[in-house]
Amino acid sequence: MDVRLLLMSVLLGLSRAQLDGNECTKASAQSCGECIQAGEKCGWCTDKSTRCDEVEALIKKGCSEASIENPRGTVSVNKNQSLTDRTKDGVKLKPDQITQIQPQKLTLDLRSGEAQTFHLTFKRAEDYPIDLYYLMDLSYSMKDDLENVKNLGTDLMLEMQKITSDFRIGFGSFVEKTVMPYISTTPAKLLNPCTSDQNCTSPFSYKNVLSLTADGFQFNNLVSKQQISGNLDSPEGGFDAIMQVAVCANQIGWRNVTRLLVFSTDAGFHFAGDGKLGGIVLPNDGKCHLQDNMYTMSHYYDYPSIAHLVQKLSENNIQTIFAVTEEFQPVYQELKNLIPKSAVGTLSSDSGNVIKLIIDAYNSLSSEIILENSRLPEGVSISYISHCKNGVSEKGENGRNNMIKNYKDSITAKGCPSNGKSETIKIKPLGFTEEVEIVLNFICECECHKGGIANSPVCHFGNGTLECGACRCNEGRIGRVCECSKDEVRTEDLDANCRMDNGTDICSNNGDCVCGTCECKKRDNPEERYSGKFCECDNFNCDRSNNKLCGGHGRCECRKCTCDANYTGSACDCSLDTSTCLASNKQICNGRGTCECGVCKCTDSKFQGPTCEICPTCPGVCTEHK
């Protein structure tokens, strides 16, 4: 399976098509670093007064290409071991010697808005080892099922040998929390929870009967010694057992191979919050509490939540197969939808079909690859596109989960992290221990930033650093060349330069006067902005038509609509297209009217209709329709 991924970083959550206007110029970048973070196409001119704009616009304005800072992102592969087969030169490799995903580590230098593409290849190794743990409900209703499971070890071994020569199997059982009202706590019922003529074992929460082993006969021997138990209510405590199986790796004996958990029951399940019925309110801690292979804290910790189970199963690369009776199929189908890399099979009333169920479920899980990523840095999001074997491509969650041939992933970042440091994420296929490490370096500064001249005399007697042809002011200084102190920004002399026509409003009440220059306020909506020397203009207070700014046929510039071609009017709601006014004789309004905004205005009172062709009183009409 080939897996291809795409990583990119953008400053704004909106795509360029959604933004109104040039994102480079409206960013009001004061430095080269701010400029290149504003958008993928933004460049910084080091030798012209017009600094930040789209590269093509800077060239048109006379900036030489050699003077434009426009750094681009890169991809480098740091670790790229070749994919391996299980058997090499006649010798079977150990699981940790097998490589199924390539490459293993990459470094990406990300520029805002620019996509970086790289390829991942995943190939499942043939004859890959499998660990299977059979977790069974031993409440009384599963009595006949236990009889059929007693020979499961050797029978399943024979079937699984068709898939892998390295197979291990284990067994565990569960009933319920050992407190009221889940079980009866009378002394007699604690010894035998079943009726007096039935010989049942004492109730328990979870018991690890057999750690993973390659000895199928040992499985048969130990399982044949198991006894049914009993409880009072219908739902069982299976979630407690699943949690312990997932987190007790040493006791269960999990290897770093394909891990399968078969969960067999004929009932529903308790989950987080149900413990209150027994006075248990402490949330499940997700830790291993097995002593002598028995779960000892069922009376102390509540049942785990579904989300908690999902987390632990994923962390421990465990794929779950729910083998349940037909009655509870809908319940566990819904549970399957919440647990990635899980499958549901219909268990016959006596578990007679359990081997076929396991094989079918394993084949289903094996045919699907689900990519999972570690926690993303703040402001970074990821989406997936998968390319399936049947030629169909899927996006979003459908792209993440697919019987795939390759993947394309998209990572979106909102600018640079505050500390400017690199971030590391990991992507792996669920159910496998192998992963791809991706180091993200953010391009936050231009190359010319390194050659900055501190305390340059160009920056008003050394009040700033001259870098990339512009002044980066020292703390407390502002202005184009750092000519002003922040303590002076509200003096009368400076404020006078921020009033239009000797008015009283500073920056039209839409901005602040900084160093004698208006700095317009930002709007909550990034598409709306103030502009102009005195912030007297905006792009959102224009006439509307059909509840659309400028009728959807123009741009709002300084509170007036600039209409698209073939539209006019204060709200660009008047179409200059006359095709709608053509009569059947190809004349405008049948020669009996004028076309105004795409609609005929009939000048001859006898004529009417959309193209002035209807004349009820004209001679000849009666004859025509006689």
Side-chain angles (χ1 to χ4, degrees):
M1 299 180 181
D2 296 326
V3 187
R4 185 174 54 189
L5 295 96
L6 164 76
L7 274 80
M8 66 180 181
S9 131
V10 296
L11 178 69
L12 299 174
L14 298 171
S15 68
R16 179 166 176 76
Q18 293 171 297
L19 295 173
D20 181 21
N22 187 337
E23 59 190 16
C24 306
T25 56
K26 72 182 182 184
S28 302
Q30 300 299 313
S31 68
C32 186
E34 292 177 3
C35 178
I36 63 172
Q37 292 181 50
E40 176 190 7
K41 296 185 178 181
C42 300
W44 177 268
C45 184
T46 59
D47 62 1
K48 292 289 182 181
S49 58
T50 300
R51 299 293 188 189
C52 188
D53 206 336
E54 292 185 359
V55 173
E56 294 180 1
L58 290 175
I59 294 174
K60 289 180 180 179
K61 292 175 182 178
C63 188
S64 64
E65 291 190 33
S67 301
I68 296 177
E69 286 283 332
N70 184 30
R72 313 313 303 176
T74 59
V75 176
S76 56
V77 178
N78 309 114
K79 187 177 181 182
N80 193 27
Q81 293 180 355
S82 299
L83 302 176
T84 58
D85 293 323
R86 176 78 197 278
T87 303
K88 185 177 182 182
D89 300 327
V91 179
K92 287 190 176 180
L93 300 176
K94 295 180 180 179
D96 57 0
Q97 296 175 311
I98 300 172
T99 302
Q100 299 181 107
I101 194 165
Q102 180 187 14
Q104 295 79 41
K105 183 176 180 179
L106 304 101
T107 298
L108 273 69
D109 296 326
L110 295 179
R111 159 78 188 272
S112 276
E114 182 186 19
Q116 300 299 326
T117 304
F118 65 90
H119 299 275
L120 268 186
T121 302
F122 180 85
K123 179 183 178 183
R124 181 187 291 275
E126 293 184 6
D127 195 28
Y128 195 71
I130 298 174
D131 284 352
L132 184 147
Y133 191 85
Y134 196 90
L135 182 58
M136 185 174 181
D137 176 5
L138 283 191
S139 58
Y140 187 77
S141 58
M142 293 286 284
K143 182 180 180 180
D144 54 346
D145 300 75
L146 180 59
E147 293 299 320
N148 282 304
V149 173
K150 287 180 179 179
N151 295 320
L152 177 65
T154 51
D155 294 345
L156 188 58
M157 282 281 182
L158 292 173
E159 287 297 323
M160 293 301 288
Q161 282 174 357
K162 299 175 183 177
I163 300 173
T164 177
S165 61
D166 190 353
F167 176 70
R168 300 198 312 168
I169 189 170
F171 184 82
S173 57
F174 67 90
V175 181
E176 186 54 276
K177 288 186 180 296
T178 53
V179 296
M180 282 286 287
Y182 314 108
I183 67 166
S184 174
T185 55
T186 60
K189 289 295 184 181
L190 284 176
L191 291 175
N192 182 5
C194 305
T195 56
S196 57
D197 59 333
Q198 298 289 340
N199 187 21
C200 294
T201 190
S202 299
F204 57 91
S205 177
Y206 161 67
K207 176 167 55 177
N208 176 33
V209 177
L210 174 66
S211 298
L212 290 160
T213 177
D215 189 347
F217 291 101
Q218 185 184 9
F219 180 96
N220 293 355
N221 183 43
L222 283 174
V223 173
S224 65
K225 296 178 181 179
Q226 300 306 302
Q227 288 181 288
I228 290 295
S229 186
N231 61 311
L232 295 179
D233 60 340
S234 175
E236 314 293 3
F239 277 16
D240 274 343
I242 293 176
M243 178 61 75
Q244 293 304 297
V245 171
V247 299
C248 298
N250 292 334
Q251 290 87 336
I252 302 300
W254 292 117
R255 299 175 295 172
N256 285 330
V257 298
T258 298
R259 299 175 174 181
L260 299 178
L261 170 61
V262 179
F263 182 83
S264 174
T265 185
D266 64 349
F269 48 82
H270 284 297
F271 53 92
D274 288 355
K276 291 181 181 179
L277 294 171
I280 304 171
V281 296
L282 200 63
N284 194 287
D285 66 348
K287 295 180 181 179
C288 183
H289 297 287
L290 289 186
Q291 292 184 11
D292 297 327
N293 286 319
M294 297 288 289
Y295 179 42
T296 59
M297 302 297 283
S298 68
H299 65 289
Y300 190 75
Y301 288 116
D302 192 7
Y303 303 96
S305 66
I306 295 174
H308 201 179
L309 279 184
V310 169
Q311 177 193 355
K312 292 301 179 182
L313 290 170
S314 175
E315 284 179 2
N316 293 281
N317 303 306
I318 295 173
Q319 304 176 57
T320 311
I321 299 172
F322 295 105
V324 298
T325 53
E326 186 173 3
E327 178 186 359
F328 286 94
Q329 274 284 310
V331 174
Y332 284 90
Q333 282 289 350
E334 291 297 324
L335 183 61
K336 169 192 172 295
N337 295 335
L338 300 174
I339 301 181
K341 290 297 277 185
S342 63
V344 178
T346 303
L347 195 66
S348 61
S349 59
D350 61 355
S351 294
N353 68 331
V354 67
I355 291 181
K356 183 179 184 302
L357 184 154
I358 292 173
I359 299 297
D360 290 346
Y362 172 74
N363 290 333
S364 174
L365 290 172
S366 299
S367 65
E368 179 184 59
I369 296 297
I370 301 177
L371 286 188
E372 179 187 54
N373 53 268
S374 61
R375 185 175 180 180
L376 299 173
E378 184 178 357
V380 174
S381 59
I382 185 169
S383 60
Y384 298 83
I385 301 177
S386 66
H387 301 281
C388 311
K389 289 182 178 179
N390 57 8
V392 177
S393 295
E394 296 282 359
K395 296 182 180 181
E397 283 304 306
N398 290 333
R400 178 195 292 265
N401 312 345
N402 237 307
M403 299 169 61
I404 57 91
K405 183 177 181 181
N406 55 61
Y407 273 109
K408 178 181 284 186
D409 290 6
S410 173
I411 288 185
T412 305
K414 294 182 179 180
C416 292
S418 57
N419 57 14
K421 294 182 179 180
S422 300
E423 299 280 358
T424 299
I425 65 171
K426 293 181 179 180
I427 296 177
K428 72 171 186 176
L430 267 178
F432 296 86
T433 57
E434 296 176 68
E435 59 189 12
V436 180
E437 181 180 344
I438 304 171
V439 179
L440 305 179
N441 296 325
F442 299 90
I443 301 176
C444 302
E445 290 290 353
C446 300
E447 191 67 27
C448 58
H449 166 74
K450 300 176 182 177
I453 304 173
N455 303 318
S456 169
V458 176
C459 302
H460 197 263
F461 305 106
N463 284 315
T465 299
L466 182 64
E467 61 179 53
C468 305
C471 288
R472 186 191 290 264
C473 298
N474 296 338
E475 184 68 28
R477 303 294 298 187
I478 52 178
R480 189 176 62 84
V481 291
C482 313
E483 67 272 24
C484 293
S485 167
K486 286 185 178 180
D487 298 331
E488 302 170 352
V489 297
R490 283 296 180 184
T491 63
E492 283 300 318
D493 290 340
L494 293 175
D495 285 354
N497 295 325
C498 297
R499 294 189 180 98
M500 185 169 54
D501 299 330
N502 295 322
T504 57
D505 294 336
I506 294 178
C507 300
S508 308
N509 287 329
N510 295 324
D512 298 315
C513 187
V514 180
C515 208
T517 303
C518 285
E519 290 190 359
C520 300
K521 296 177 182 177
K522 302 289 186 183
R523 300 275 298 179
D524 292 337
N525 185 347
E527 297 186 16
E528 298 179 355
R529 61 187 183 277
Y530 295 107
S531 59
K533 180 180 179 181
F534 303 103
C535 303
E536 73 277 13
C537 296
D538 63 59
N539 68 339
F540 53 88
N541 274 318
C542 288
D543 289 345
R544 294 175 177 267
S545 178
N546 293 326
N547 204 30
K548 293 181 179 179
L549 198 66
C550 298
H553 301 299
R555 304 181 307 281
C556 181
E557 297 178 349
C558 204
R559 302 187 179 186
K560 288 186 179 180
C561 287
T562 300
C563 300
D564 296 339
N566 288 329
Y567 284 93
T568 187
S570 63
C572 301
D573 53 353
C574 181
S575 173
L576 299 178
D577 183 10
T578 59
S579 62
T580 56
C581 295
L582 286 178
S584 57
N585 58 9
K586 303 303 180 183
Q587 288 187 318
I588 298 294
C589 300
N590 195 30
R592 307 288 185 173
T594 59
C595 187
E596 299 179 9
C597 298
V599 178
C600 281
K601 301 290 184 181
C602 301
T603 54
D604 190 329
S605 58
K606 293 189 296 182
F607 288 84
Q608 54 187 275
T611 53
C612 304
E613 293 182 82
I614 300 174
C615 181
T617 60
C618 290
V621 172
C622 292
T623 304
E624 180 182 344
H625 295 290
K626 183 176 180 181

